[in-house]
PDB file of all heavy atoms in Angstrom:
ATOM      1  N   HIS A 265     -67.800   1.943  32.280  1.00 98.00           N
ATOM      2  CA  HIS A 265     -67.291   3.325  31.938  1.00 98.00           C
ATOM      3  C   HIS A 265     -68.017   4.324  32.961  1.00 98.00           C
ATOM      4  O   HIS A 265     -69.152   4.761  32.687  1.00 98.00           O
ATOM      5  CB  HIS A 265     -67.595   3.801  30.565  1.00 98.00           C
ATOM      6  CG  HIS A 265     -66.791   4.850  30.077  1.00 98.00           C
ATOM      7  ND1 HIS A 265     -65.731   4.786  29.154  1.00 98.00           N
ATOM      8  CD2 HIS A 265     -66.841   6.238  30.379  1.00 98.00           C
ATOM      9  CE1 HIS A 265     -65.251   5.959  28.909  1.00 98.00           C
ATOM     10  NE2 HIS A 265     -65.871   6.891  29.606  1.00 98.00           N
ATOM     11  N   HIS A 267     -67.144   7.978  35.342  1.00 98.00           N
ATOM     12  CA  HIS A 267     -66.239   8.996  35.808  1.00 98.00           C
ATOM     13  C   HIS A 267     -66.591   9.298  37.280  1.00 98.00           C
ATOM     14  O   HIS A 267     -67.117  10.429  37.600  1.00 98.00           O
ATOM     15  CB  HIS A 267     -66.248  10.238  34.903  1.00 98.00           C
ATOM     16  CG  HIS A 267     -65.855  10.042  33.532  1.00 98.00           C
ATOM     17  ND1 HIS A 267     -64.478  10.010  33.110  1.00 98.00           N
ATOM     18  CD2 HIS A 267     -66.567   9.686  32.456  1.00 98.00           C
ATOM     19  CE1 HIS A 267     -64.536   9.715  31.850  1.00 98.00           C
ATOM     20  NE2 HIS A 267     -65.690   9.525  31.402  1.00 98.00           N
ATOM     21  N   ILE A 295     -62.870   5.849  35.060  1.00 98.00           N
ATOM     22  CA  ILE A 295     -62.147   6.239  33.912  1.00 98.00           C
ATOM     23  C   ILE A 295     -61.355   7.567  34.143  1.00 98.00           C
ATOM     24  O   ILE A 295     -62.009   8.547  34.437  1.00 98.00           O
ATOM     25  CB  ILE A 295     -63.064   6.422  32.678  1.00 98.00           C
ATOM     26  CG1 ILE A 295     -64.063   5.229  32.552  1.00 98.00           C
ATOM     27  CG2 ILE A 295     -62.411   6.756  31.493  1.00 98.00           C
ATOM     28  CD1 ILE A 295     -63.353   4.004  32.100  1.00 98.00           C
ATOM     29  N   MET A 297     -58.927  10.740  32.630  1.00 98.00           N
ATOM     30  CA  MET A 297     -58.856  11.522  31.507  1.00 98.00           C
ATOM     31  C   MET A 297     -57.621  12.349  31.401  1.00 98.00           C
ATOM     32  O   MET A 297     -57.244  12.835  30.387  1.00 98.00           O
ATOM     33  CB  MET A 297     -60.093  12.473  31.489  1.00 98.00           C
ATOM     34  CG  MET A 297     -61.363  11.795  31.538  1.00 98.00           C
ATOM     35  SD  MET A 297     -62.766  12.943  31.725  1.00 98.00           S
ATOM     36  CE  MET A 297     -63.139  13.248  30.076  1.00 98.00           C
ATOM     37  N   HIS A 322     -57.391  12.040  27.659  1.00 98.00           N
ATOM     38  CA  HIS A 322     -58.636  12.231  26.851  1.00 98.00           C
ATOM     39  C   HIS A 322     -58.262  13.271  25.720  1.00 98.00           C
ATOM     40  O   HIS A 322     -57.406  14.197  25.921  1.00 98.00           O
ATOM     41  CB  HIS A 322     -59.701  12.839  27.729  1.00 98.00           C
ATOM     42  CG  HIS A 322     -61.114  12.883  27.086  1.00 98.00           C
ATOM     43  ND1 HIS A 322     -61.430  13.930  26.254  1.00 98.00           N
ATOM     44  CD2 HIS A 322     -62.125  12.117  27.228  1.00 98.00           C
ATOM     45  CE1 HIS A 322     -62.664  13.723  25.915  1.00 98.00           C
ATOM     46  NE2 HIS A 322     -63.071  12.651  26.429  1.00 98.00           N
ATOM     47  N   GLU A 348     -59.780   7.107  29.113  1.00 98.00           N
ATOM     48  CA  GLU A 348     -60.241   7.099  27.720  1.00 98.00           C
ATOM     49  C   GLU A 348     -59.334   7.934  26.881  1.00 98.00           C
ATOM     50  O   GLU A 348     -58.841   8.994  27.306  1.00 98.00           O
ATOM     51  CB  GLU A 348     -61.600   7.460  27.589  1.00 98.00           C
ATOM     52  CG  GLU A 348     -62.012   8.975  28.045  1.00 98.00           C
ATOM     53  CD  GLU A 348     -63.541   9.211  27.905  1.00 98.00           C
ATOM     54  OE1 GLU A 348     -64.031   9.253  26.757  1.00 98.00           O
ATOM     55  OE2 GLU A 348     -64.206   9.178  28.978  1.00 98.00           O
ATOM     56  N   HIS A 384     -62.697   6.960  22.919  1.00 98.00           N
ATOM     57  CA  HIS A 384     -63.631   8.016  22.780  1.00 98.00           C
ATOM     58  C   HIS A 384     -63.592   8.471  21.315  1.00 98.00           C
ATOM     59  O   HIS A 384     -62.588   8.802  20.876  1.00 98.00           O
ATOM     60  CB  HIS A 384     -63.314   9.175  23.732  1.00 98.00           C
ATOM     61  CG  HIS A 384     -64.102  10.393  23.563  1.00 98.00           C
ATOM     62  ND1 HIS A 384     -65.173  10.764  24.312  1.00 98.00           N
ATOM     63  CD2 HIS A 384     -63.991  11.343  22.493  1.00 98.00           C
ATOM     64  CE1 HIS A 384     -65.701  11.920  23.846  1.00 98.00           C
ATOM     65  NE2 HIS A 384     -64.939  12.280  22.754  1.00 98.00           N
ATOM     66  N   HIS A 408     -66.224   3.195  23.304  1.00 98.00           N
ATOM     67  CA  HIS A 408     -67.091   3.494  24.411  1.00 98.00           C
ATOM     68  C   HIS A 408     -68.202   4.373  23.959  1.00 98.00           C
ATOM     69  O   HIS A 408     -67.993   5.282  23.099  1.00 98.00           O
ATOM     70  CB  HIS A 408     -66.349   4.002  25.653  1.00 98.00           C
ATOM     71  CG  HIS A 408     -66.608   5.383  25.985  1.00 98.00           C
ATOM     72  ND1 HIS A 408     -67.661   5.776  26.739  1.00 98.00           N
ATOM     73  CD2 HIS A 408     -65.935   6.494  25.770  1.00 98.00           C
ATOM     74  CE1 HIS A 408     -67.634   7.081  26.850  1.00 98.00           C
ATOM     75  NE2 HIS A 408     -66.561   7.571  26.327  1.00 98.00           N
ATOM     76  N   ASP A 458     -71.141   6.041  31.521  1.00 98.00           N
ATOM     77  CA  ASP A 458     -70.357   7.334  31.346  1.00 98.00           C
ATOM     78  C   ASP A 458     -70.864   8.332  32.313  1.00 98.00           C
ATOM     79  O   ASP A 458     -70.807   9.522  32.144  1.00 98.00           O
ATOM     80  CB  ASP A 458     -70.686   7.894  29.894  1.00 98.00           C
ATOM     81  CG  ASP A 458     -69.533   8.781  29.430  1.00 98.00           C
ATOM     82  OD1 ASP A 458     -68.494   8.768  30.057  1.00 98.00           O
ATOM     83  OD2 ASP A 458     -69.775   9.508  28.430  1.00 98.00           O
ATOM     84  N   TYR A 461     -72.376  11.618  33.156  1.00 97.00           N
ATOM     85  CA  TYR A 461     -72.960  12.219  31.873  1.00 97.00           C
ATOM     86  C   TYR A 461     -73.989  11.217  31.301  1.00 97.00           C
ATOM     87  O   TYR A 461     -73.975  10.103  31.726  1.00 97.00           O
ATOM     88  CB  TYR A 461     -71.850  12.534  30.857  1.00 97.00           C
ATOM     89  CG  TYR A 461     -70.623  13.197  31.452  1.00 97.00           C
ATOM     90  CD1 TYR A 461     -69.472  12.519  31.569  1.00 97.00           C
ATOM     91  CD2 TYR A 461     -70.751  14.483  31.911  1.00 97.00           C
ATOM     92  CE1 TYR A 461     -68.345  13.090  32.141  1.00 97.00           C
ATOM     93  CE2 TYR A 461     -69.655  15.067  32.503  1.00 97.00           C
ATOM     94  CZ  TYR A 461     -68.454  14.433  32.588  1.00 97.00           C
ATOM     95  OH  TYR A 461     -67.326  14.949  33.203  1.00 97.00           O
TER      96      TYR A 461
HETATM   97 NI1   NI B 899     -66.094   9.019  29.358  1.00 96.01          NI
END
Side-chain angles (χ1 to χ4, degrees):
H265 198 110
H267 299 275
I295 308 293
M297 305 173 87
H322 189 280
E348 63 184 284
H384 168 104
H408 111 82
D458 206 13
Y461 318 108

